[in-house]
Amino acid sequence: MSYEKIFEYDLDLTAVTDYGANMEALFTGRESVPLQGAQFDVALTGYIKGRVTGTMRGIDYLRVRADGHRQLDLRGTIETDDGNRIAFSADGVGTPRDGEPIVDLAVKINLLTGSVAYAWVNARPAWGAGYANLATGKIHIDAYLH
């Protein structure tokens, strides 16, 4: 099976809204994840490059399960360098690496636009893999179609 890399993105974590649990304390192990889990709204912004190039901003409605795994629910907007907008949504999982501030990410990405130039993004979902570096607040994903 053939896979085509359509873009990669590098996002910065710009703000966090918590709901009674401290994200940094949970992710550094200073506090345990509550039995019911924890919810954070994580604002992100950064650059996307490839067949789609521009800036992306959005919010990951991140849920941390009691076992430490992350459930990702990202919604955002891509503003392409040529002036088009693409709606972005991604669902996936994050798996923390033992003893490191890194979370490995796997996501299913859906893109939607009315722009003729980018109509190809509406055809099927993309799949992405990458990581979040909790020490630097940086997220990197490579996205592919197949």
Side-chain angles (χ1 to χ4, degrees):
M1 192 175 282
S2 173
Y3 295 92
E4 174 194 2
K5 184 174 177 180
I6 57 170
F7 57 75
E8 63 184 73
Y9 61 79
D10 291 292
L11 303 177
D12 293 311
L13 185 152
T14 59
V16 175
T17 301
D18 69 58
Y19 297 92
N22 181 295
M23 189 169 85
E24 182 182 354
L26 291 184
F27 291 175
T28 59
R30 293 193 321 266
E31 292 181 15
S32 296
V33 179
L35 187 57
Q36 71 276 12
Q39 174 76 39
F40 303 98
D41 297 348
V42 181
L44 305 163
T45 188
Y47 199 67
I48 183 170
K49 63 184 178 183
R51 281 184 70 188
V52 176
T53 299
T55 57
M56 188 166 96
R57 67 182 186 289
I59 297 177
D60 186 357
Y61 301 97
L62 175 66
R63 184 165 212 34
V64 181
R65 300 185 329 206
D67 65 5
H69 283 74
R70 279 75 164 168
Q71 294 175 310
L72 312 171
D73 180 13
L74 177 61
R75 303 290 179 253
T77 303
I78 298 169
E79 302 230 7
T80 65
D81 285 349
D82 58 1
N84 291 283
R85 282 194 190 101
I86 301 170
F88 178 99
S89 64
D91 299 304
V93 296
T95 305
R97 294 184 192 172
D98 286 339
E100 295 183 52
I102 305 293
V103 177
D104 291 310
L105 306 173
V107 293
K108 180 183 76 136
I109 300 168
N110 291 297
L111 303 169
L112 180 66
T113 187
S115 167
V116 173
Y118 293 95
W120 60 271
V121 305
N122 299 320
R124 60 188 190 259
W127 298 93
Y131 60 89
N133 184 325
L134 305 175
T136 63
K138 306 269 186 199
I139 298 166
H140 178 84
I141 293 283
D142 294 309
Y144 301 86
L145 289 176
H146 64 87

